[in-house]
């Protein structure tokens, strides 16, 4: 398939531009761009996603390579398929899913029936969170990616529930479980000078746990006494010295912004007190 030809012909007739998706599932050529060639707006890095959390985690991993190699950038975004927010088992899973797509700069494309008011109401506070969307839209030279992956693994199901199987192709209905890292941390810089980053701490196990992060391990971040802001709560938590911990439910996460503290935060919160 000559993607360059399609790009050139389409733009002949689209005065205001047009979005082009390269859907080659991250495998069939031409699946990926190069650093100086990308005749599409975004490109699939993965197999088709389905409405089960193991599928979300599986597809999320496919963004790591393009980010590492500088192949996800403005006008040429790595895309691990559409959002399953609103179709997953819980609000917790939907939050983790949306946050993950935000922090790796994936296009945010909903897949549920947006004319279904009841379904829309259940996820409205997630998909309209301006701070999460602002993280997704930010660009400071890096699309966001994983910076910590635990060596311990956990098997997460990719088998659809029976009530959803009719809506998916048969090959997507029942897949082998995905062996995911128990804990995985992502970051995305929100400044040019290392003063601010978004961070997503993911608990991929089925049970709740406490997740901890040392600020010195966050790439490019310069602060050691750092202001932490909760993206979902839309509020500053406090200034923490050297590290931060939070509780995450099973398949849950902590979505935060870590930055140089403002002058109005004088007290440093010790990690033992948080």
């Amino acid at each position: 398939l000559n993607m360059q030809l399609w790009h050139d012909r389409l733009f002949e007739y689209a005065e205001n531009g047009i979005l082009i998706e390269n859907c080659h599932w991250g495998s069939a050529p031409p699946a990926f761009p190069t650093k100086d060639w990308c005749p599409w707006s975004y490109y699939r890095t993965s197999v088709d996603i389905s409405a089960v959390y193991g599928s979300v985690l599986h597809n999320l991993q496919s963004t790591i390579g393009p980010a590492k190699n500088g192949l996800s950038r403005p006008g040429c975004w790595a895309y691990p398929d559409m959002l399953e927010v609103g179709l997953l088992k819980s609000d917790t899973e939907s939050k983790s899913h949306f946050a993950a797509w935000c922090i790796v700069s994936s296009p945010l494309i909903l897949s549920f029936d947006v004319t279904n008011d009841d379904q829309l109401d259940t996820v409205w506070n997630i998909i309209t969170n301006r701070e999460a969307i602002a993280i997704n839209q930010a660009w400071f030279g890096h699309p966001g990616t994983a910076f910590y992956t635990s060596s311990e693994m956990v098997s997460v199901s990719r088998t659809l529930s029976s009530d959803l199987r009719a809506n998916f192709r048969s090959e997507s209905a029942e897949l082998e479980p995905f062996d995911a890292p128990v804990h995985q941390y992502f970051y995305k810089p929100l400044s040019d000078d290392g003063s601010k980053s978004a961070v997503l701490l993911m608990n991929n196990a089925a049970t709740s746990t406490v997740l901890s992060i040392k600020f010195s391990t966050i790439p490019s971040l310069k602060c050691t006494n750092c202001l932490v802001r909760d993206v979902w709560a839309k509020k500053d938590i406090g200034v923490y010295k050297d590290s931060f911990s939070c509780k995450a439910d099973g398949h849950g996460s902590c979505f935060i912004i870590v930055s140089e503290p403002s002058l109005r935060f004088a007290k440093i919160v010790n990690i033992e007190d948080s």
Side-chain angles (χ1 to χ4, degrees), residues 25-36:
W25 309 284
S27 56
F32 293 97
T34 66
K35 289 186 177 181
D36 56 6

Side-chain angles (χ1 to χ4, degrees), residues 110-120 124 127:
L110 300 171
S111 62
F112 67 87
D113 181 3
V114 295
T115 66
N116 183 327
D117 290 341
D118 291 336
Q119 192 170 33
L120 188 61
W124 185 253
I127 63 175

Side-chain angles (χ1 to χ4, degrees), residues 149-179:
T149 299
S150 67
S151 57
E152 184 182 359
M153 308 296 281
V154 61
S155 182
V156 187
S157 175
R158 287 198 287 166
T159 299
L160 284 169
S161 59
S162 57
D163 58 320
L164 288 175
R165 290 192 183 194
N167 299 322
F168 287 82
R169 297 185 310 187
S170 58
E171 61 266 31
S172 300
E174 188 165 356
L175 297 169
E176 290 295 321
F178 174 60
D179 288 333

Side-chain angles (χ1 to χ4, degrees), residues 200-247:
L200 177 66
L201 311 178
M202 299 187 73
N203 172 29
N204 298 329
T207 55
S208 62
T209 192
V210 174
L211 302 175
S212 298
I213 178 69
K214 290 184 178 180
F215 299 137
S216 61
T217 65
I218 302 172
S220 76
L221 188 70
K222 293 180 178 179
C223 61
T224 53
N225 296 332
C226 303
L227 172 63
V228 177
R229 182 174 179 83
D230 186 324
V231 173
W232 293 122
K234 304 177 190 175
K235 68 178 183 179
D236 296 332
I237 303 172
V239 177
Y240 290 76
K241 182 180 180 181
D242 298 329
S243 60
F244 172 76
S245 294
C246 60
K247 183 178 179 181

